[in-house]
Amino acid sequence: MRTKLKIFTVILLVFSFFACGKKDKIVSLEKEGTEYKIADIASFYYPNDFELDTKSNNQQIVRFVKKEEVVFYTTMQDDTDNQLDDLPELYAGQLEEDGAQDVAFKNIKIESGLNCQEFTGKYPATGIKFEHMVYFTDDAAYVFAYQAPEETYDENIKIITQYLQSLTVHH
């Protein structure tokens, strides 16, 4: 009788583990997203439920918003003599200087074939978490990013990351 109880308990635990585990959703960028092209510079997909922010005064940043969530793209020209290998550390330092904490980055090869750096962190003053997908060249940094309040970020980042990885730079 004890053996049957143990087997039943193990089966129940295994079933509970799989039943409660949230399935990762694979996004169809063409169906669930909208492609945005920036001349001959770059292109990417953003979620259909985000809207282009036409109220922004900064013409260098293209922003898409949904309530408190923001997806944005910018190209930052680099006319310094910094070495390409140093740029990720310098970028992380700039995020920290802007108030971000727990800034981390890792190298990642995205679907377009670009070798990018994925930066993550949080602005504790506002509770905003972020992920930046950045492609560095000798001339510029191409930044496609997402930021949202912590709870919203944690809920959506796996889906949004698929959009961030759609970045394509045409050079």
Side-chain angles (χ1 to χ4, degrees):
M1 184 69 165
R2 273 192 157 174
T3 306
K4 287 183 182 180
L5 184 58
K6 287 181 182 178
I7 291 172
F8 178 73
T9 303
V10 169
I11 291 171
L12 185 61
L13 288 172
V14 169
F15 177 74
S16 297
F17 175 74
F18 287 109
C20 295
K22 190 175 182 180
K23 301 268 189 236
D24 289 339
K25 180 182 176 196
I26 303 296
V27 174
S28 170
L29 296 175
E30 291 81 17
K31 290 181 182 177
E32 299 173 56
T34 301
E35 185 176 25
Y36 192 87
K37 295 181 180 183
I38 297 143
D40 293 338
I41 300 170
S43 61
F44 53 83
Y45 284 87
Y46 67 92
N48 282 338
D49 54 350
F50 281 65
E51 293 182 8
L52 179 63
D53 180 9
T54 57
K55 298 173 187 159
S56 177
N57 293 333
N58 188 340
Q59 298 297 315
Q60 301 298 319
I61 299 175
V62 178
R63 293 172 27 110
F64 305 91
V65 296
K66 175 186 165 189
K67 296 182 183 174
E68 297 179 308
E69 296 175 89
V70 177
V71 173
F72 68 88
Y73 172 84
T74 188
T75 302
M76 300 176 354
Q77 297 300 319
D78 183 8
D79 57 359
T80 66
D81 59 356
N82 293 320
Q83 297 297 310
L84 191 58
D85 291 342
D86 296 334
L87 296 178
E89 287 289 340
L90 293 169
Y91 189 84
Q94 184 61 52
L95 289 170
E96 290 170 344
E97 190 174 303
D98 292 342
Q101 290 183 350
D102 303 324
V103 175
F105 68 91
K106 64 181 178 181
N107 295 324
I108 182 171
K109 187 169 189 165
I110 61 176
E111 199 161 314
S112 65
L114 296 176
N115 289 313
C116 295
Q117 279 67 44
E118 179 185 71
F119 292 83
T120 56
K122 179 179 179 179
Y123 293 104
T126 60
I128 299 292
K129 287 179 79 173
F130 63 83
E131 180 174 319
H132 293 197
M133 193 65 60
V134 185
Y135 176 64
F136 293 103
T137 67
D138 289 327
D139 302 323
Y142 302 87
V143 181
F144 190 31
Y146 171 71
Q147 61 187 37
E150 187 169 1
E151 187 175 310
T152 305
Y153 175 95
D154 291 342
E155 210 173 276
N156 297 324
I157 192 58
K158 287 185 179 181
I159 291 172
I160 294 294
T161 296
Q162 295 173 65
Y163 288 98
L164 295 180
Q165 291 182 1
S166 73
L167 176 64
T168 302
V169 175
H170 313 284
H171 55 85

